[in-house]
Amino acid sequence: MRGSRSIFCAGVFCGVAALLAGGSSADDIADRAHQIHFSSIVVDTHDDTTQRFFSKTFDIGKRNPDGHVDIPRMREGGMNAIFFSIWIDGRITGPQAVEKALDQIDAVRENVKKYSKDMVLARTAEDVRKAHAEGKIAALMGVEGGHMIGNDIRVLRIFGDLGVRYMTLTHFYNDEWADSSTDKPAHNGLTDSGKEIVREMNRQGILVDISHVSDKTFYDALEVSKAPLIASHSSCRALCNHVRDMSDEMIKALAAKGGVIQINYEKSFIDQAYKDTYDKVSGGAKEHIDAVTKACNFDEDCIAKEFAKYEKQLIEEGKLPKVSWEKIVEHIDHAVKLAGADHVGLGSDFDGASMPDGMEDCSKLPKITEALLRKGYSEEDIRKILGGNTLRILEQAEKVSKEMQAQ
Ligand SMILES: [Zn+2]
């Protein structure tokens, strides 16, 4: 078992140990990749696992037959820090949105308490490092969509106090103060109050997340924010032309201000043929999402199940092309070539997206490390991509927050 071997050996010594033990297929790269992966702090900035806490059949402490994330599989895949996404449909606004967001924040906190032997709530980069040193998984939270603060800046501060470490400025729909990439522009990017919210996020040390926002909102946020931005779960538009992905120009601009793009593994964001075919057979992805959401009466568990069922049916009928997990690595590599290894990370979208073949759940994460090593990436760069960059950007947001609060 690889898992037990890493405790006793490191790097090339693993290979020697395997040979001495009579192993005939010692593969130094595989062993080194395993050693690097399981000694790095692996951070995933976007997981929709939170929705599953409301399902009667889901238990994060046990290995589940479905979904992408639970504690046993996080352990197996070496996922050391997870951002639980706090998300509700963007058409739910005002006090109801705030209430539902609080339900989810509470569910994360309660589940972390329930499994406190394995998980601990983290707010800072230091908290994440401490959790790792203690052999625990660091649990962080990100609010996915500005509509959830109910257009009230005080709620943003309360969310921050409860442990929310990033907020995605919009989800699929425009909110009261920012345009989304998948809605008709209404505000020409960020409104004045949107800019005020970005500044307040800086003051609270809450990372500004530009996944889902329109290109104009991105450039506005980039100009206003005093701390670097993240794209918590976006991929590269040059490889798959989807509005949810970032253009080369945007990735370079994000990186020039110290930001990080965390690559999303969703098939329709990473593979052009898949996206085009899905759009065609579903009659438009957004229209399809709207129809399913309506049929499920906004019930998130029902929506997720309906999508899985629909996709399974299309695959069985041979209507969708296959997508390999290696596409994820292509997107990482593209972003690194453009912006450098300091500006790329992992934002799977597990439990909220359709995963490519070979990345069925978070237990498969070590494959990414091995693929990067085989591509010739240095150990240092791999560690940054796996989580170091996200920790650095958390620290930068903490520093900006301290400076602003001292003023
Ligand atoms: Zn999303």
Side-chain angles (χ1 to χ4, degrees), residues 62-63 68 111 114 178 189 193 204 206 220 234 294 362 396:
K62 299 195 174 93
R63 180 178 285 268
H68 306 141
N111 271 277
K114 185 175 170 192
S193 70
Q204 301 301 322
I206 298 170
D220 286 352
S234 293
K294 217 171 144 197
C362 67
Q396 283 169 308

Side-chain angles (χ1 to χ4, degrees), residues 46 144 171 212 233 244 349:
H46 196 87
E144 190 180 14
H171 190 246
H212 281 287
H233 59 308
R244 273 285 286 104
D349 216 347

